[in-house]
Amino acid sequence: MLRPANGHKLHTVTHSFAMPSVIRLNRYVKAPYKGVNLTRQNIFRRDNNQCQYCGAHKDLTLDHVIPSSKGGSHSWLNLVTACKRCNAKKGNHTPEEAAMYPTHKPYRPSYALFLRDNSGFGNDWDEYLVR
Ligand SMILES: [Zn+2]
């Protein structure tokens, strides 16, 4: 199924086609799903570039919710965005010890979520992307 073109064209040697903004496949050969890479930048993106303790958008760092020294993993489920100030304040403590809890429970984002929130593809994609 082709959605109306967005004004761009695709060119072959002999033809040119209006570029669709969405192409839906009727049949799909399943490929291994890799997911979103666990990187500092992607964690910031998931957390909306916002400290998960005070809401600041500046001086962002990564915080292990459960500190590594206390068995916390380096994973989507234990890493959140924290500003330098909150990270220093929380130090080497668990949320209970520091009485500091992330505003959102850390989660593993889906690739579709990243596309929807960060691609600028626009609303055409909404009905095809699941969270
Ligand atoms: Zn903060």
Side-chain angles (χ1 to χ4, degrees), residues 2 12 21-22 33 52 60 63 91 96 107 111 121-122 131:
L2 294 181
T12 68
S21 59
V22 175
Y33 176 69
Q52 293 300 290
L60 300 179
D63 173 55
E96 291 76 17
Y107 63 96
Y111 192 63
F121 282 157
R131 282 192 182 249

Side-chain angles (χ1 to χ4, degrees), residues 1-5 10 17-26 128:
M1 182 184 96
L2 294 181
R3 273 286 173 87
L10 295 172
F17 304 91
M19 184 188 291
S21 59
V22 175
I23 299 172
R24 190 175 77 184
L25 302 177
N26 291 320
Y128 305 102

Side-chain angles (χ1 to χ4, degrees), residues 36-100:
V36 179
N37 288 336
L38 180 69
T39 64
R40 177 186 171 86
Q41 279 313 314
N42 283 342
I43 290 165
F44 289 174
R45 281 170 73 176
R46 179 200 63 187
D47 295 342
N48 202 24
N49 293 299
Q50 195 167 25
C51 173
Q52 293 300 290
Y53 297 103
C54 75
H57 289 277
K58 286 171 131 182
D59 296 327
L60 300 179
T61 64
L62 286 185
D63 173 55
H64 287 80
V65 177
I66 305 295
S68 317
S69 62
K70 298 187 175 176
S73 62
H74 190 79
S75 72
W76 283 112
L77 305 182
N78 191 48
L79 285 163
V80 296
T81 304
C83 72
K84 277 184 190 164
R85 200 168 142 250
C86 288
N87 208 337
K89 188 174 161 198
K90 183 168 172 281
N92 200 28
H93 299 294
T94 64
E96 291 76 17
E97 290 165 346
M100 291 173 70

Side-chain angles (χ1 to χ4, degrees), residues 7-20:
H8 298 287
K9 296 219 172 217
L10 295 172
H11 302 280
T12 68
V13 176
T14 54
H15 292 81
S16 112
F17 304 91
M19 184 188 291

Side-chain angles (χ1 to χ4, degrees), residues 95-110:
E96 291 76 17
E97 290 165 346
M100 291 173 70
Y101 299 89
T103 49
H104 297 96
K105 191 174 178 208
Y107 63 96
R108 180 188 309 276
S110 70

